[in-house]
Structures are given as C-alpha cells and as structure tokens.
Amino acid sequence: MSNIAKSLLKSVTCGRAVWLRSRSFACCGEQRFRQLVLGIETSCDDTGAAVVDDAGNVLGEALHCQKEVHLQTGGIIPVVAQQLHRENIERVVREALRASGVSVPELAAVATTVKPGLALSLEVGLRYSLDLVSRYQKPFIPIHHMEAHALTVRLTHNVEFPFLVLLLSGGHCILAVAQGVSDFLLLGQSIDIAPGDMLDKVARRLSLRKHPECHSMAGGKAIEHLAQSGNRHQHTFRLPMLQYRNCDFSFSGLQSLVNKAITEKEQEEGIQEGEILSCVQDIAAAVQHTVAVHIF
C-alpha cells in the first residue's frame, strides 16, 4: 500500500470493531433488521462492488474488467490500472446499489480491500470508500484480500471453522487454516513468485499472444488451453523444493528450467525468440502438470 493510502487508512476512526459493535442495535425486541454492507474491490485490474446482507446473500453486484486493455501490453501496468479504476469506480458502485435496490443511507457499513494488491489500484478504492463513509457517517471495514478469498466459501456453503484453505492467484500462493474470521494459521506460502505470475511469464516467453488459438487469452488461460492437446511426457521438469520438508512453494526455479528448455527447442527448430514452437502444446502440458504436482 502506498504512503498516501496508509495515511488515509490511519485517518479512519471507525473500523471493524465499530462494525461489530454496530450489530448490537440490529435487534429490537423480537424484530431483527438486516445489516447491509457495500463491498468495494480494486486490488488489481478489476473494479468490483456488491451489496451483501448479514445472511450472506448478494443482493446486487457490478464489475468492470480491464482484461482487454492489459492483454494488449502483455501484463498489468499499475498506472493504467489505476486510471481505469478512477474512471469506473463511481459507475460500478452505482450499478451495484441499483441492482440491489439499496441506497447508501440504508447501508450498515462499507467494506473495502486495503491489502495486499497493487498500491495504486488499492488507493483508488480506499479514497473512494473513505469519502463515502465520511459523507454518510458509516462504519468502515478494512478487508484483507486473501482473508476475503478464504472466507468467500462461507457465502455459498455451510463451512464451519476450522477449515484448510489453498489460495492461488497471479500474485499469491498460500496454504492456511482458517480458524475464524481474521484468525488464520499460515502453513506455507510461495517464497518467491506466485504460480499465476510464473505461468504468465512462460506464456510471454512462448509468445502465446501470437498463437491463433490464444490471441485473446491471458497467459495462464492460454497455457491451460494448449495443455489440453499436449503430451506432458515429452518434457520433464524437476519438481521444486523436494529437499524441504515444509509446506512452502517456489516457482522461480521452475520458470528458469522452462525458459532453458524453450531456448533449447528454439535452437533445435532453428527459430528465433518470438516465433511459435511446434511443440508448444507439449511444453504447456508439462509446465501445467509440474505446477499442479508441486502444489498438491
């Protein structure tokens, strides 16, 4: 999180504790009123908002995806993501509220992702949210991105604490035990890069944006698509961390091995970097298999 975002967050006097206390007025005699929360998410390249009640029902939601923009540059550029969040956050929140049939004065609180994520993107959501809670005098709930991912299952399934959770994305790889809301026991995590980041980099090295079947796909999705028609047995990559008896992960060494194999195949086929290998499906299949075996 940037220094500006940190200072903004410090200025908030009503946080999660205030929200918990605010629930005490939800009951009046035998009559119970629903607590409605507006959630705002701008941690990376999607601008999202939703209204959720205290029973876990999503009453309305809206999303603006930046995928097409970032596909053109081969990855997310933070300043571009920030500008797109700025341009769309007002509309996205308005659409979520309209879809839910709820107005801001009816909300019990506003919950917003504050970490981890791209600092410039997080700052947009945080600024917007703090302005909202200031204008309408609502409690503010700072949300940890990965904790939110872990707890989302409880919106759709009756999962009791504790439970084991594996969180995988372009920026994270975490194995933990969810013992309660905001109570997590970390068992292991990536000591370098995340699996999604690694797959995106391999896709760029393979120039999959030039592949006729993958020109509109993100890197990880392109690897997955080509792996379906590939033979993983044509390439063997050493599993990471075999010498360690813990739950941590590592993907940077695997990426180096894959890059070396790609270079060797380019030399064998007499092509330049940037051209498509004839065995690209097999490499994709082998990479995906190795990543999956390492994780599981």
Side-chain angles (χ1 to χ4, degrees), residues 24-286:
S24 63
F25 60 72
C27 296
C28 180
E30 293 186 357
Q31 186 178 13
R32 183 178 183 279
F33 299 95
R34 285 191 307 172
Q35 298 284 297
L36 306 174
V37 175
L38 169 65
I40 296 176
E41 153 66 15
T42 63
S43 64
C44 191
D45 60 335
D46 286 343
T47 310
V51 176
V52 183
D53 68 16
D54 53 7
N57 301 306
V58 178
L59 306 182
E61 59 186 329
L63 179 72
H64 177 264
C65 181
Q66 303 177 6
K67 174 185 173 182
E68 293 303 320
V69 173
H70 297 299
L71 274 176
Q72 303 307 314
T73 57
I76 298 170
I77 300 176
V79 292
V80 174
Q82 181 188 48
Q83 183 58 34
L84 291 172
H85 283 305
R86 285 173 175 165
E87 293 172 1
N88 291 282
I89 189 168
E90 177 74 34
R91 175 183 58 80
V92 167
V93 170
R94 189 167 57 248
E95 288 180 1
L97 289 169
R98 183 168 57 247
S100 68
V102 173
S103 63
V104 176
E106 294 176 276
L107 296 171
V110 175
T112 304
T113 305
V114 298
K115 64 178 181 180
L118 296 177
L120 295 178
S121 294
L122 287 167
E123 188 177 311
V124 176
L126 184 54
R127 278 185 178 275
Y128 181 87
S129 301
L130 296 186
D131 178 65
L132 202 62
V133 300
S134 176
R135 279 190 286 132
Y136 291 92
Q137 292 300 294
K138 298 294 181 181
F140 176 75
I141 310 173
I143 299 297
H144 187 288
H145 186 189
M146 302 313 290
E147 289 181 4
H149 277 307
L151 297 173
T152 299
V153 65
R154 287 168 52 84
L155 290 176
T156 56
H157 297 79
N158 184 25
V159 179
E160 299 294 332
F161 294 115
F163 60 89
L164 185 67
V165 59
L166 175 64
L167 304 173
L168 304 172
S169 72
H172 304 281
C173 183
I174 297 173
L175 182 67
V177 176
Q179 301 177 131
V181 177
S182 298
D183 182 9
F184 291 82
L185 174 63
L186 181 64
L187 301 179
Q189 62 185 329
S190 176
I191 62 174
D192 37 60
I193 62 176
D197 184 25
M198 179 262 182
L199 292 174
D200 284 346
K201 289 176 178 176
V202 170
R204 284 197 292 272
R205 180 63 183 84
L206 288 169
S207 301
L208 296 189
R209 285 275 291 136
K210 297 180 181 178
H211 195 285
E213 298 177 19
C214 305
H215 62 90
S216 63
M217 297 180 183
K221 181 65 176 178
I223 293 288
E224 181 183 12
H225 173 75
L226 293 177
Q228 295 176 13
S229 57
N231 181 357
R232 66 177 176 83
H233 298 290
Q234 294 298 315
H235 300 273
T236 301
F237 299 115
R238 186 177 69 253
L239 283 172
M241 307 276 294
L242 285 178
Q243 68 274 34
Y244 297 98
R245 301 186 67 82
N246 58 37
C247 295
D248 286 332
F249 308 92
S250 172
F251 298 94
S252 62
L254 176 58
Q255 181 192 335
S256 297
L257 291 176
V258 175
N259 287 344
K260 181 180 179 181
I262 293 172
T263 299
E264 291 174 352
K265 295 303 294 185
E266 287 171 342
Q267 293 172 350
E268 285 181 23
E269 296 188 9
I271 66 173
Q272 299 295 318
E273 180 175 336
E275 298 180 68
I276 303 297
L277 287 167
S278 64
C279 60
V280 66
Q281 289 93 341
D282 296 338
I283 293 177

